[in-house]
Amino acid sequence: MKQLFGLAINLILLANLTAVSEENIHQTTCYHRQGNQLVNSQSCTVTMEYDHPENGLNWKIVTRSGEVHHYRNSGTGIELWSHLNRAWVKVQQTDWFPEKEGILCWDDFCADWRELPLD
């Protein structure tokens, strides 16, 4: 009976974790930052997942040319998944691009965030 009760609790917890995780897909425009200019403008798809059980806010940006930028913010700062190192690395600079309303940058990669939800 205890094993059956434990199994039921585990299934309920797993169902709750799955229900909490919510994924949203959006289209926007992405850029690369070169000094004080935005270059290489292209359409991109942003997949956002709120309340990810391990990653907090989790978002992946795929550009039309196939670049993949996978970020997370688990409460300790924004991190980027390094495909080369197969590990999360801290983003050094997160800021709004000067004089371009709604363009959010993580180091040298930027996306138009006006149509994307921030919360």
Side-chain angles (χ1 to χ4, degrees):
M1 185 69 163
K2 281 185 179 180
Q3 288 177 335
L4 186 59
F5 182 71
L7 180 60
I9 293 296
N10 286 339
L11 289 174
I12 290 169
L13 289 172
L14 181 60
N16 285 340
L17 284 177
T18 303
V20 168
S21 181
E22 180 183 330
E23 195 173 89
N24 294 286
I25 299 173
H26 306 277
Q27 295 292 318
T28 192
T29 304
C30 294
Y31 310 87
H32 285 277
R33 179 196 302 224
Q34 286 184 349
N36 61 354
Q37 293 186 359
L38 295 173
V39 297
N40 195 25
S41 169
Q42 60 183 305
S43 65
C44 55
T45 302
V46 180
T47 303
M48 300 181 77
E49 188 175 3
Y50 301 97
D51 301 318
H52 186 285
E54 296 172 9
N55 293 340
L57 175 61
N58 187 31
W59 67 102
K60 181 169 68 172
I61 302 174
V62 180
T63 66
R64 185 176 56 184
S65 64
E67 288 179 75
V68 177
H69 302 265
H70 189 180
Y71 298 94
R72 73 177 182 181
N73 186 351
S74 57
T76 60
I78 297 174
E79 297 173 304
L80 169 67
W81 177 254
S82 170
H83 298 284
L84 181 63
N85 298 331
R86 304 200 48 75
W88 292 101
V89 295
K90 291 272 187 197
V91 169
Q92 299 302 309
Q93 180 180 358
T94 301
D95 63 342
W96 295 99
F97 195 83
E99 300 180 26
K100 297 282 187 181
E101 184 177 334
I103 308 292
L104 185 58
C105 299
W106 306 274
D107 292 335
D108 64 350
F109 184 75
C110 306
D112 188 334
W113 215 255
R114 288 177 287 189
E115 302 297 321
L116 303 176
L118 288 173
D119 53 9

